[in-house]
Amino acid sequence: MNKVVDNADEAIKDIQDNATLMLGGFGLCGIPENCITALVKKGVKGLTCISNNAGVDDFGIGLMLQTRQVKKMISSYVGENAEFERQLLSGELEVELIPQGTLATRCMASGYGMPAIYTPAGVGTEVAIGKEVRNFNGKDYLMEYAFDADFAIVKAWKGDPHGNLIYRETARNFNPMMAMAGKITIAEVEELVPAGDLDPDQIHTPGIYVHRIFKGVNYEKRIEQRTVRKS
Amino acid sequence: MNKVVDNADEAIKDIQDNATLMLGGFGLCGIPENCITALVKKGVKGLTCISNNAGVDDFGIGLMLQTRQVKKMISSYVGENAEFERQLLSGELEVELIPQGTLATRCMASGYGMPAIYTPAGVGTEVAIGKEVRNFNGKDYLMEYAFDADFAIVKAWKGDPHGNLIYRETARNFNPMMAMAGKITIAEVEELVPAGDLDPDQIHTPGIYVHRIFKGVNYEKRIEQRTVRKS
Amino acid sequence: MLDKTGIAKRIAKEVKRGYYVNLGIGIPTLVANYIPQGFDVVLQSENGLLGMGPFPFDGEEDADLINAGKQTITTLPGSSFFDSAMSFGMIRSCKVDLTILGAMEVSDNGDIANWKIPGKMVKGMGGAMDLVASAKNIIVAMQHVNKAGESKLLPKCSLPLTGVGCVKKIVTELAVLDVTQQGFKLLERAPGISVEQIKNATLGRLIIEGDIPEMHLD
Amino acid sequence: MLDKTGIAKRIAKEVKRGYYVNLGIGIPTLVANYIPQGFDVVLQSENGLLGMGPFPFDGEEDADLINAGKQTITTLPGSSFFDSAMSFGMIRSCKVDLTILGAMEVSDNGDIANWKIPGKMVKGMGGAMDLVASAKNIIVAMQHVNKAGESKLLPKCSLPLTGVGCVKKIVTELAVLDVTQQGFKLLERAPGISVEQIKNATLGRLIIEGDIPEMHLD
């Protein structure tokens, strides 16, 4: 299998206006920087973005908010972004907030071919409004549907031409589940190695889930909250 | 965290008659050989064993069948064992057959705190009898309940005192899901290394799921179907 | 008439470049031998492997490395291992493009029976029920008639079902047939086999339209 | 009266040997500083880490290694990384022994509100709803009264809920209280605080039985 494409522009070239995208990452950690840049350059509009967060004003998904490319965000937390707040309050942007574990599990459900899952998160809160509540063993659970996306865009540390992916540290986060949930899954990696170089026991996302892969460039990997102790 | 115990006898000492056990492995690949030997030695009876297969006559769970320790097997395939067949036909042994993917996913559901899952496996067959059928997006699914066990007994390649586990090749199979589904999870490993020796990115089962761990001895790792090509 | 090898060879022609394929035990396993070298196909083994390679050379067997038939195997560059839940996850989510498996009976609406014979020891369905319930493309490799000479392509399965309305294509020693809404549609005859012979060996609805070509193997 | 450090110190005494603990943002994060060295406790960060260590030394920050508050952190021997689905899987399956988080309001039946203030920009619940719905033991670290001097320990939360009937214990600048079927049960007073002061600052049902000891913080 050779799923390698040249670069981000090539990888995202068939993403059209009004597409639904999943973007991996937690905060700015493990986000697909190259594809975001390419999406901004391409100028595709009306996007629905499923991503745990919405970036900051001048980085990550924030860059796509500045250019008004995003119609709707589906996230668990969107608090680090003034432009986001402005667009939300002005009604330019829709937002749907989902508990973080529910978000992760709904993506995973898609990759595992399970149409719905049950979670206790949100029972008795406004998150439960309109949802089916079901009791198992004396505890209430919400039924939440699997969701997929036209494109899932993920960032990994290492990858090979088959699309096998290995993530690094907490940059793994949502990337593996979203990789499983894309109708088309695009992976950008820091290191693209020949097939056979990755230990088959250590692969986090088997290539079967990945449709296109490329070696990203110029990773900034910005730190949101640089916190250190005194030496 | 130090979850290390001396050996299999120590690890299983509180398993009592009529307990429900999960045992990892696919065929004879990745089975907890040391714990099975210890269970035979202890002579605990009336066990319900959840395991994909039932071993062969003189190895694996087959050893516990010889000693009539198993009351019920819950498996997807039990075809390699004459003693099994004899006990089944004579009514000494109960068996519940579950599709392999359903078995794996019901274990995983337990570890993921999901009380039930939906799968299309078995729709329209006798497996569906008495089960809730639900249609999602035009396709029928069965609702299947998560299951856990009093003890899950798994075999890994490497482990550390925290209970972190790494499996090798297809010996992984059911072990990670069962490790998540035990009220008490016991892991036997070929190599027990100090905390910090395993790469945190490569751990398949995080130690939080494991309660006891020990270094196994004298692994036979029997091959069921030795199949080779001519050189 | 085809032998087992012939059935495997003919099915191999259904395997397209870029496919992820799951091969069942028996004839389906043989299919791997007839997929052209260098053809971009990845074999999935539902016990937790993508990229199944050939059997190992004598002395190179690894007890930790088996396929779903419990045979010793090898990996290929680009292989990956995963657990059983993820394995069936990728099957259920239709990431596996093609599933090839054996059957005892297939009905003309695509039902399949291949796991249980009443009165005989039941060994279990293994992963078959998951595979047939989820694969988008299922090809059955089987004999057209059983040892008693009775058709295995039926109006309705007599044995307990493994899955419902799922089989897309059947390759037997006599013929290649698609399963359509109107029944079994005859596509090709095995070398030396007449349409009449296929008719006589098929109990389910059989559609014969125009000239039925003899199949080509390689 | 306790300061934030004092609240964190008092909560640290609730952490038992062998616990897996999830610490929320704010005061809960400080608790880590007061768990005795060598005490067998593993911190979970829900973005995908077990075995969270201290902040890195200046210059050793790693952009790929952050906690759920997006702060740079370190690992410890025995750490493991995993994806968000498994992370919340271990939370939902109650493998995490103790969750410590902040709150805007807690009601005397254990409801908690900590994610949304009507009329203000809503940033989202993050992982809080998952955590409070699943943890077997939830301790809330918060101020007893808000900036307007109003009690945050209420008969009923006025803000939108994060979870229902889930809080087990509350540690404030004034007191330690258990949440029981009969309401808030006062366990300890902060140094220099009288039962009367706690009564006045608590709107929900408050149970005061016998002498209420002053807390020890070493």
Side-chain angles (χ1 to χ4, degrees), chain C residues 82-197:
Chain C
F82 34 84
D83 64 43
S84 302
M86 179 178 265
S87 185
F88 284 94
M90 60 184 69
I91 289 166
R92 272 197 307 266
S93 65
C94 297
K95 302 292 176 183
V96 174
D97 298 289
L98 175 60
T99 290
I100 302 169
L101 75 175
M104 298 167 183
E105 297 177 348
V106 176
S107 72
D108 60 21
N109 67 339
D111 293 354
I112 179 173
N114 74 349
W115 78 285
K116 186 174 183 177
I117 300 175
K120 284 205 184 179
M121 158 79 182
V122 181
K123 295 185 169 184
M125 66 294 276
M129 282 194 183
D130 307 272
L131 281 159
V132 300
S134 298
K136 48 191 172 191
N137 191 5
I138 297 175
I139 301 180
V140 162
M142 68 173 187
Q143 300 300 313
H144 214 104
V145 295
N146 64 19
K147 282 171 190 161
E150 299 160 340
S151 179
K152 296 167 72 174
L153 283 77
L154 302 170
K156 192 169 185 305
C157 294
S158 65
L159 296 171
L161 296 182
T162 309
V164 172
C166 53
V167 177
K168 298 286 185 292
K169 195 183 281 280
I170 305 166
V171 179
T172 74
E173 78 282 17
L174 303 181
V176 179
L177 310 100
D178 266 358
V179 179
T180 71
Q181 296 233 316
Q182 287 71 42
F184 301 117
K185 183 167 173 18
L186 183 58
L187 299 181
E188 298 173 19
R189 296 172 292 112
I193 298 297
S194 69
V195 169
E196 206 54 31
Q197 284 174 294

Side-chain angles (χ1 to χ4, degrees), chain A residues 78 126 169 226-227 229, chain D residues 55 61-62 64 72 116 123:
Chain A
V78 293
E126 63 182 57
E169 300 179 340
R226 188 177 304 271
T227 319
R229 65 182 146 152
Chain D
F55 297 132
E61 315 89 85
D62 180 342
D64 289 335
T72 45
K116 186 174 184 177
K123 297 185 168 184

Side-chain angles (χ1 to χ4, degrees), chain A residues 53 76-78 80 85 100-102 105 120-121 126 139 168-173 221 225-229, chain D residues 55-57 61-66 70-72 81 84 88 92 116 121 123-127 130 133 162:
Chain A
N53 311 92
S76 87
Y77 190 80
V78 293
E80 342 270 12
E85 187 163 348
Q100 196 175 133
T102 303
T105 313
E126 63 182 57
K139 182 165 178 166
R168 185 169 176 273
E169 300 179 340
T170 57
R172 192 181 319 183
N173 57 64
K221 297 221 248 177
Q225 303 279 345
R226 188 177 304 271
T227 319
V228 298
R229 65 182 146 152
Chain D
F55 297 132
F57 291 116
E61 315 89 85
D62 180 342
D64 289 335
L65 183 44
I66 64 171
K70 285 132 193 168
Q71 297 169 312
T72 45
F81 295 108
S84 301
F88 284 95
R92 272 197 306 268
K116 186 174 184 177
M121 158 80 182
K123 297 185 168 184
M125 66 292 280
D130 306 274
T162 308

Side-chain angles (χ1 to χ4, degrees), chain D residues 150-161:
Chain D
E150 298 160 340
S151 179
K152 297 168 72 175
L153 284 77
L154 302 171
K156 194 170 183 305
C157 293
S158 63
L159 296 171
L161 295 183

Side-chain angles (χ1 to χ4, degrees), chain B residues 6-230:
Chain B
D6 282 347
N7 52 41
D9 296 326
E10 182 73 15
I12 64 135
K13 70 176 177 193
D14 55 348
I15 297 183
Q16 301 298 331
D17 287 356
N18 303 309
T20 297
L21 312 183
M22 283 181 181
L23 295 112
F26 182 96
L28 301 179
C29 182
I31 61 172
E33 296 184 18
N34 279 237
C35 283
I36 290 171
T37 303
L39 285 164
V40 169
K41 188 170 140 196
K42 184 174 157 80
V44 58
K45 300 241 186 264
L47 300 173
T48 295
C49 291
I50 302 169
S51 186
N52 189 57
N53 311 92
V56 295
D57 276 315
D58 61 344
F59 203 58
I61 292 175
L63 297 171
M64 293 158 68
L65 291 165
Q66 281 184 356
T67 46
R68 316 279 173 89
Q69 293 177 265
V70 183
K71 182 177 67 184
K72 182 174 180 182
M73 279 300 311
I74 300 176
S75 303
S76 87
Y77 191 80
V78 292
E80 343 269 14
N81 196 318
E83 174 63 17
F84 184 97
E85 188 164 347
R86 197 199 59 69
Q87 289 184 24
L88 183 64
L89 296 176
S90 72
E92 290 165 75
L93 181 67
E94 269 180 89
V95 65
E96 183 181 342
L97 294 168
I98 294 180
Q100 196 175 133
T102 303
L103 181 66
T105 314
R106 289 176 67 184
C107 295
M108 189 187 77
S110 175
Y112 274 51
M114 303 190 294
I117 55 110
Y118 289 99
T119 175
V123 168
T125 76
E126 63 181 56
V127 164
I129 294 169
K131 288 179 186 157
E132 182 175 321
V133 179
R134 186 157 176 165
N135 191 286
F136 294 93
N137 305 313
K139 181 165 179 165
D140 283 339
Y141 293 82
L142 300 184
M143 189 175 79
E144 298 272 9
Y145 292 102
F147 53 10
D148 54 19
D150 298 324
F151 294 86
I153 304 175
V154 302
K155 153 74 170 49
W157 181 31
K158 294 180 183 179
D160 73 14
H162 282 250
N164 292 310
L165 303 177
I166 293 177
Y167 307 94
R168 186 168 175 273
E169 301 179 340
T170 56
R172 193 182 318 183
N173 57 64
F174 283 83
N175 283 296
M177 279 81 59
M178 290 184 171
M180 294 192 291
K183 284 177 201 141
I184 300 288
T185 292
I186 298 165
E188 55 174 272
V189 297
E190 291 180 57
E191 290 180 43
L192 184 61
V193 304
D197 274 22
L198 302 178
D199 180 345
D201 275 328
Q202 293 172 19
I203 287 164
H204 297 129
T205 296
I208 195 171
Y209 288 113
V210 175
H211 302 84
R212 299 171 196 166
I213 187 167
F214 68 94
K215 187 190 174 316
V217 293
N218 301 325
Y219 281 102
E220 182 174 341
K221 297 221 245 180
R222 200 184 288 188
I223 292 175
E224 221 162 325
Q225 303 279 343
R226 187 177 305 269
T227 319
V228 297
R229 64 182 147 149
K230 298 202 180 73

